[in-house]
Amino acid sequence: MFKIGNVILKNNIVLAPLAGYTNSAFRKIIKEMGIGLIYTEMISDKGLIYENKKTDELLYVTDFERPISCQLFGSDKESFVKAAKIVIEKMHPDIIDINMGCPVPKVALRSQAGSALLKDVNKIKEIVKAVVDTVEIPVTVKIRSGWDDKNINAKEVAIACEESGASAICIHGRTRSQGYSGKVNLDIIKEVKESVNIPVIGNGDIKTLDDAKKMFDYTKCDAIMIGRMALENPFFIKELVSYFENGIILNKSTYKDKIELALKHFNYLLEIKNEKQAVLEMRSIASFYIKGLPSSIKIKNELFKIKDKENLINLLNNYLKELENSIE
Ligand SMILES: Cc1cc2nc3c(=O)[nH]c(=O)nc-3n(C[C@H](O)[C@H](O)[C@H](O)COP(=O)(O)O)c2cc1C
């Protein structure tokens, strides 16, 4: 069991926010794997304030996915406060998270949001305090280690967030300028953990059970967050939950498990999106699921030509039969 503020989580394994992917369908798949906490993808404060239709769609959540943290991104205190009130009213999240880590130029440079906030600790204090004072649910902050290697200030940022009332800090151990290159810096996560009393969620490059153990053992973080590996292999979440909840190492998922899960994921997508959108999204999701399986490159190429539901389902079912025949 793990707690953020007054929110009780069944374990300390967390699904990362992944823009374009962590919608209700994917979150349901991951929830079924036993995860403790799920995030929405980052949601624009301005998009909420101006009632942008696409932004509003990001607020869709089912009770099954709860507890859920709604992540907001923006650059000024006033808009964060307005956006927080809107999500409380429309989505009733269990936690609000503030994005201070996004490195993409559209967010960090053009809008001075995401990781750009790391450059101004006073502004961080103002924003966190204002949101904490506005809502009754816990507010958390997701940060990177700093803007660049000359400005690694995660410790100072984490202390500022704690002093301003944040209930947890999630840290991805890379700077903004690193993007996703290089290795995650576990030392900075450790330093953040040693500097604050609120829970610290360690994030970055957890791809195996050993990576997860190392993140816990070396940094002493309270929880771990998984991003890209959950997308590539949702069963990885089940493996982590089984190991950290019960000490049991599960067998690796098979090609059959993966393809059947892809079909289930597609059905969940069809429940929330029109056929065209669901097919488009499933083309990239299915490519993640089949990565590394025999002749997956050929199937991936075929997948990207598919435009309708029936052909997508047939392709995956035929691929499954092909694999069954070739393996038996
Ligand atoms: C496709 C993609 C979308 C992402 N979207 C978000 C986002 O909306 N908000 C956020 O805080 N981080 C976002 N991230 C960063 C992840 O949450 C996470 O911090 C990062 O991928 C490192 O974790 P990992 O090594 O387990 O993937 C995104 C990453 C990827 C690859």
Side-chain angles (χ1 to χ4, degrees):
M1 217 176 74
F2 172 56
K3 252 178 117 181
I4 293 184
N6 56 0
V7 177
I8 297 170
L9 310 170
K10 85 182 249 292
N11 60 48
N12 52 3
I13 317 291
V14 179
L15 174 67
L18 296 166
Y21 295 103
T22 42
N23 53 38
S24 179
F26 181 57
R27 296 191 307 243
K28 253 161 91 179
I29 292 283
I30 296 296
K31 183 75 183 188
E32 287 171 5
M33 299 293 165
I35 197 115
L37 177 65
I38 277 172
Y39 279 53
T40 64
E41 66 178 82
M42 58 178 181
I43 302 182
S44 153
D45 59 354
K46 297 276 190 308
L48 289 167
I49 295 166
Y50 297 116
E51 296 183 356
N52 176 291
K53 190 169 165 283
K54 284 215 164 108
T55 309
D56 262 9
E57 282 169 12
L58 299 176
L59 298 180
Y60 177 76
V61 60
T62 58
D63 280 342
F64 176 68
E65 298 155 51
R66 293 179 188 279
I68 189 160
S69 171
C70 176
Q71 190 188 64
L72 297 175
F73 77 97
S75 63
D76 66 275
K77 179 179 87 179
E78 288 74 22
S79 299
F80 266 115
V81 165
K82 283 187 194 157
K85 286 183 185 159
I86 295 170
V87 294
I88 293 287
E89 193 193 311
K90 291 191 174 170
M91 181 190 180
H92 311 292
D94 302 277
I95 295 170
I96 285 185
D97 183 71
I98 301 177
N99 180 317
M100 296 194 189
C102 182
V104 304
K106 197 176 146 199
V107 173
L109 300 179
R110 205 170 345 131
S111 306
Q112 288 297 302
S115 56
L117 295 174
L118 298 176
K119 293 192 285 187
D120 188 342
V121 175
N122 284 332
K123 195 170 184 184
I124 291 176
K125 286 185 189 166
E126 270 183 27
I127 291 173
V128 175
K129 186 171 184 318
V131 179
V132 168
D133 288 347
T134 303
V135 300
E136 282 173 14
I137 57 174
V139 176
T140 63
V141 186
K142 182 167 180 281
I143 65 174
R144 281 190 171 233
S145 51
W147 178 255
D148 57 24
D149 60 359
K150 292 193 181 62
N151 295 283
I152 295 187
N153 63 347
K155 176 177 166 183
E156 192 190 353
V157 168
I159 293 171
C161 291
E162 179 175 39
E163 284 173 358
S164 311
S167 294
I169 292 284
C170 171
I171 167 164
H172 176 193
R174 282 191 175 86
T175 61
R176 184 264 160 189
S177 61
Q178 268 184 296
Y180 291 90
S181 66
K183 272 180 141 179
V184 71
N185 176 351
L186 295 186
D187 288 307
I188 189 79
I189 301 178
K190 185 169 188 261
E191 198 181 318
V192 165
K193 172 61 196 164
E194 284 163 2
S195 314
V196 293
N197 294 309
I198 50 177
V200 172
I201 307 170
N203 170 238
D205 292 354
I206 299 177
K207 294 184 161 58
T208 64
L209 192 50
D210 281 344
D211 296 335
K213 284 190 219 165
K214 191 166 172 202
M215 180 64 90
F216 275 126
D217 294 346
Y218 187 77
T219 72
K220 302 280 182 286
C221 65
D222 304 280
I224 53 171
M225 173 183 273
I226 318 295
R228 288 163 294 175
M229 203 54 197
L231 204 54
E232 216 170 278
N233 179 17
F235 291 103
F236 179 52
I237 300 295
K238 196 170 177 179
E239 286 173 41
L240 292 175
V241 171
S242 166
Y243 181 77
F244 289 109
E245 272 191 4
N246 305 313
I248 297 169
I249 299 180
L250 294 180
N251 290 333
K252 293 277 171 224
S253 52
T254 63
Y255 66 87
K256 191 166 187 278
D257 295 330
K258 287 182 176 170
I259 297 173
E260 282 173 353
L261 192 71
L263 286 161
K264 184 189 226 185
H265 194 148
F266 187 43
N267 276 329
Y268 286 172
L269 277 174
L270 287 166
E271 284 169 16
I272 58 166
K273 301 196 172 211
N274 65 39
E275 181 174 343
K276 191 174 164 208
Q277 287 172 327
V279 168
L280 270 179
E281 188 166 330
M282 200 56 211
R283 295 196 317 200
S284 68
I285 299 272
S287 317
F288 282 119
Y289 280 16
I290 63 172
K291 198 172 156 187
L293 299 183
S295 45
S296 63
I297 309 245
K298 181 187 93 175
I299 302 295
K300 196 174 154 188
N301 289 336
E302 286 175 33
L303 257 174
F304 277 91
K305 290 181 204 140
I306 280 180
K307 294 198 166 55
D308 64 277
K309 179 170 110 180
E310 273 69 34
N311 279 322
L312 201 150
I313 295 172
N314 288 342
L315 178 72
L316 289 175
N317 277 326
N318 290 339
Y319 183 37
L320 182 56
K321 278 189 210 133
E322 218 177 275
L323 289 174
E324 276 166 352
N325 292 336
S326 68
I327 286 162
E328 271 156 22

